[in-house]
Amino acid sequence: MFSDVDDGSTVTDFLPAERARGITIQSAAITFHWPPLITENRAADGANGKPALPLSTNLESHTVNLIDTPGHADFTFEVLRSLRILDGAICILDGVAGVEAQTEKVWYQAATYKIPKIIYVNKLDRDGAAFGKTIKEIASKLHVWPAVCQIPWFEGGNGRFVGVIDIVGLKALCWPDGGDGKTMKIMDLDGLRALEPKLTETARKARTALIELLSEYDDLIIEKYLEFNEDHMAILAEDITAALRRCVLNQKNIVPVFAGASFRNIGVQPLLDAVISLLPSPDESLDPEISAGGTNGGLRQMIQGKMALTKADTPSKAKHVLSSKKSPSATIAKLESCALAFKVVNDPKRGVLIYVRVYHGVIHRNSMLFNTNLQVSERVPRLLKMYASDAVEVASLSAGQIGVIVGLKYARTGDTLLVYTGANPKSGPPAPLNTLQLRPIEVPPPVFFASIESQSLSEEQTVANALAILLREDPSLHLSVDEDSGQTLLSGMGELHLEIARDRLVQDLKAKASMGKIEIGYRECILAPGGPSTALFDRETAGRSGKAACTVSVDPLIEPSTDAEVGQIDTTFQQDGNAIKVHLIRSTDQENESNPSVTSIPSHLSETIIRMALQNGVHTALARGPQHSFALHSTLVSVTLDLSTQVFGTDTTSSALTSAARLATQAALKQSFQQASTVLMEPVMNVIISTDEDSLGSVVHDLSSSRGGHIISLDDADIVSATGSGQTRDDVSLIDMRRVYSPPDPFDITSTLAEDDVSMASNGNRPRTITARVPLKEMVGYLKHLRSLTGGRGTFVMSVDRFERMGSQREKAVLKEMRGI
């Protein structure tokens, strides 16, 4: 029985939301053996008394840790944290859709970790599938040389999809219609020629193209080519596989491409064989990047004693420093294991599950783990190997394995976990090993925001606890509190991402909360000066008299003067876009100088206390504008306090000064409003948008005309290439599309692009970056609109830039919307 993601029946899509929507939402791990250990499953009885055929051409069984990741852009962090711990990757393409937008993003994300990759073109049994066109797109959009290792076999040249032609082994693999995929018919090219003469000739051309491509990057295959008298067809499959493996492991910008239809189990077995043959084992993968004691290097390099470990800088850690007399290798030898926590799941039955990738040594049950990020120790109560939602308890996890530690209280995504012989439970291993950290998992910035509120005050703590669990599971969710509206804002990677988070919060974690729209924090700005206004506060509060006065004037903030007049002590505070200037006036009159009690500050006060009290009073008054009750912005407030006339001995307290400043500021603002109305200001975001050349015009037009944005610059985007060598995408796009081999597509006569079309497609695919300033109100829900404009290829990041004044028409529209008219 086979499962289908569209039906929600796949093993790795076990969440209710995944089954309901027919998509993958979270990454799922599963461990299996290939070829299977159960020999009965490796063969099936053939029809008409034919001998059973092997399920796999590999005889030795290997353990494979598979992680199924989402394809939707909203769940890109699930892909990122999975890529971080992988040794190799299979990029699965839709044979109908080709290279999609999210595929490009994930491809370049994988390049940052230098992960070897192979490509599998799936769904070739569907109407409209075009393998040749997809090959062209791999070259033009992913900027790599596709090494065609298989071509699809359509019955009669344009019939149903029945199998694949193995270009490496020169074999035809055919699966019977309606079968379970366990039996397949294998024939050589001579046998295929009698059935499919055109397909046989295509296979010979594909073999020639494959050898020619490999010969440009691998010297050994050239030797084999010469050894066999320049006969492309005579080179052994083992030699070609070895050359492909060297190119894949050495990141030679060549990517093997395979074909199939997974739902019908066509091409799956050869693909798994390719995983074993071409992708690296844990020992062959790149040395994991680490930092320890301020030194960067590789984990294997450190264990082998080839990495110089520096001493700790702090005296408190001096006793843990590796002394020059003691051999560093002796200390490193006590490092039993090193692992990275890449995922946290709160399971309702099993509790907190910490998914880890073990990079060195063995983690045993009941081992003491030291978390170098949090500097805490925790014991391992249980170890599991996961099979999607099912689990099997194990006694240990060895290097290269992916497993689960149950019940850790503190571990988070990205934490490095060590087991060290004789480590102090509190301080951990000796320095600098107690600071050893594997390369962290980068969290992308959020691009979509929504408010979240508890349904009642009594539920606030329950909602807060549930949100803490949610954020520990998914670090790409961010929680913040808007200081203006008081709303709790939940931000993530997209609308669907937050929708799934809300469902998990309400349905799984049973939090009584609701999600709503964001309230934009607008500001008011005065247009005319106000004051000077003097206010006297003389009131008894809580049985204690308080008396103070001050004078305040307000002006639109341009550039406050810093020149102090004679006899004045000026201090200017910058706060929330406003400037508060405090003047403390001391009399210079000789008569007052002879009477210090008149001009001196009372003993229970100080200049610092006075300034802070006046500043707090002004800040309170600025929190509410005179016209629309929004907080004020771009306002210069000048506060004058005459120590000889406005301070009244012990009656003048800090609270009295605060009240006096508040009253005087409110009066000055009222005078300013009477002279001229205020104007609304709105938060403007600094937005950086990445898109392709084809979509540039429509995105720029939308920003400038529909959203009131200002374009700052248009630049070429620098994106790490698939080689991981730090080149830009433009550098890698030098691939000559005319030299890219792709088999003809029987159903699409337009699949062979003309040279001019290829050139135009390449230019249209060139990445561009738009930098603009756009009002925050227009960026709410922008991600969905941007994907629509760019065919899913556009992404953006944004940060608060500043507040800007609104035009009169925009201000009227905003006020009308707020009032619900």
Side-chain angles (χ1 to χ4, degrees), residues 579-597:
I580 304 172
K581 180 181 284 189
V582 178
H583 307 262
L584 300 183
I585 301 178
R586 298 177 185 271
S587 175
T588 57
D589 188 86
Q590 293 292 329
E591 180 181 351
N592 287 338
E593 287 183 0
S594 62
N595 186 3
S597 62

Side-chain angles (χ1 to χ4, degrees), residues 561-614:
S561 175
T562 57
D563 297 332
E565 300 177 7
V566 177
Q568 295 182 353
I569 303 173
D570 295 356
T571 304
T572 302
F573 302 92
Q574 299 286 343
Q575 191 172 14
D576 296 339
N578 301 305
I580 304 172
K581 180 181 284 189
V582 178
H583 307 262
L584 300 183
I585 301 178
R586 298 177 185 271
S587 175
T588 57
D589 188 86
Q590 293 292 329
E591 180 181 351
N592 287 338
E593 287 183 0
S594 62
N595 186 3
S597 62
V598 177
T599 58
S600 63
I601 297 175
S603 58
H604 65 285
L605 297 174
S606 66
E607 287 188 10
T608 302
I609 293 176
I610 290 175
R611 293 193 190 102
M612 289 302 297
L614 295 173

